[in-house]
Amino acid sequence: MRMKRTLFSIVLLAALAVQGLYAQATREEIFNDIATTGGVYYAYPGPSGVQTKAPKGYEPFYISHYGRHGSRWLIADEDYVRVMEVFEKAHAAGALTDLGEDVRKRLDIVWADAKGHGGDLSPVGVKQQRGIAERMYQAFPEVFKGEPQMSARSTVVIRCVLSMDAFCERLKEFNPKMRIERESSNKYMDYLNFHTQEAMKFTSRKGPWYEEFRKFEEEHVRPERLMNTLFNSKEYIRKNVNPEELMRGLYWVASDMQNVEPEVCFYDIFEKQELFDIWQIHNYKNYVCDGPSPMTNGLMLANAKSLVENIMDSADAAIASGTNSATFRFGHDGNVIPLVGLLRLENCYNEESDPAKFYQAWCNFKMVPMAANVQIVFFRKKGSADDIIVKFMLNEKEVSIPVKTDIAPFYHWKDVRAFYKDLLSQLPDRP
């Protein structure tokens, strides 16, 4: 037992070393693609890298998937209206600079497209889901041959339902005989979108994390320069504008433009450092309130326990059936983050205690851009019912897990299953 524990520790430390290198982000890297400062609003970047061929004799037969909904408009119409009202009021008072007037006109263009769409899946999001489904079909055609029986489930939020439909419809365009049973129901919310009472209590403003976060937030929103470029009177700003709130509102509008069709940009009104600083605030919150921050002692990752159990149970059923199949699930960023951490995917469970260094260890845009997805692909040895291997992909890129393997990036399912069973046994049962 001691030797087994020592071997596991060596594997885990090696994985963490690789993981730290992979996960680290630099200020320069982010500045080179300023859209990444959108964080969870970063539009799906598409796959990178190549697909490693399975060892000789193995053929894919099952795919287990969990995906975030595709790109959307801002979560509520009010997020646009609050910003626009400030500019309209200043316009009426003659208090805008030339840049401020230009921004006001850009906002009018944005609003003409966004009005009534708060929280909705955008056409960009539809394209993302269709593209992911198409690449899945092309990469693993064996899974979809004949008349396979597939299962698709989404949370009850409309953008997730429509993401599921866009994904499934693209698959059926390739093989109309495919049967995909689709459901969106509260029945499945206890694993598609589950949060423990303890986790929700922790993440409230009364939680032990919030005061330190509030101070970090205050230090990283510096609106004076931006306000002075938009308004022509400091006295008007003092009496009529909440600079911090307006800067944050403009940041969200700017970040979301990559997720919708109008070709309007607001990045020119910001300095890159300003975007970087505001992004760090939201990366901080995602890390602590959904991710593997050591401050939570695993509390947030435990939110994904029922989802990982469903993944395990569904895989067992697919293997036992002896047929080709797939399980598709659709939810939200707050579900993907704990899932990838609990699954121990490369890059997704680094721990860092210094808020100034959170982004160097853990980046939300690398894990949960719009349409983020986890795919676990199962391969069976021809002529064998139990010689099964798997590989893991995050956003269609092969990733490692801390399980010993002689066929990387593939793993023997019996070893993976044992690893997760042991991991789940260490978590408390759901109430």
Side-chain angles (χ1 to χ4, degrees), residues 197-213:
Q197 290 296 320
E198 293 82 1
M200 289 188 285
K201 182 178 179 180
F202 180 95
T203 57
S204 74
R205 292 193 174 193
K206 295 181 179 180
W209 70 287
Y210 186 75
E211 182 57 24
E212 184 179 30
F213 170 77

Side-chain angles (χ1 to χ4, degrees), residues 38-46 67-75 120-122 124-125 128-129 132 159 255-256 258-259 333 364-365 367-373 395:
V40 297
Y41 276 79
Y42 184 44
Y44 192 66
R68 183 190 181 194
H69 59 76
S71 283
R72 58 168 170 77
W73 282 273
L74 292 180
I75 199 65
D120 288 349
L121 185 72
S122 73
V124 175
Q128 291 163 347
Q129 295 294 349
I132 294 165
R159 60 181 172 271
S255 297
D256 194 53
Q258 60 191 297
N259 296 298
D333 56 342
N364 54 9
F365 65 81
M367 272 158 272
V368 282
M370 294 291 185
N373 59 95
N395 300 326

Side-chain angles (χ1 to χ4, degrees), residues 251-269:
Y251 160 83
W252 285 122
V253 173
S255 297
D256 194 53
M257 293 314 301
Q258 60 191 297
N259 296 298
V260 294
E261 292 189 315
E263 295 183 2
V264 181
C265 182
F266 294 88
Y267 284 144
D268 61 298
I269 71 174

Side-chain angles (χ1 to χ4, degrees), residues 126-165:
V126 172
K127 292 175 184 176
Q128 291 163 347
Q129 295 294 349
R130 286 175 60 82
I132 294 165
E134 178 174 338
R135 290 186 292 272
M136 179 188 287
Y137 186 94
Q138 292 173 341
F140 311 108
E142 298 89 346
V143 175
F144 303 100
K145 65 185 179 182
E147 299 183 14
Q149 180 67 52
M150 309 288 181
S151 156
R153 303 285 184 267
S154 88
T155 70
V156 294
V157 178
I158 294 298
R159 60 181 172 271
C160 295
V161 178
L162 294 178
S163 292
M164 173 176 68
D165 277 349

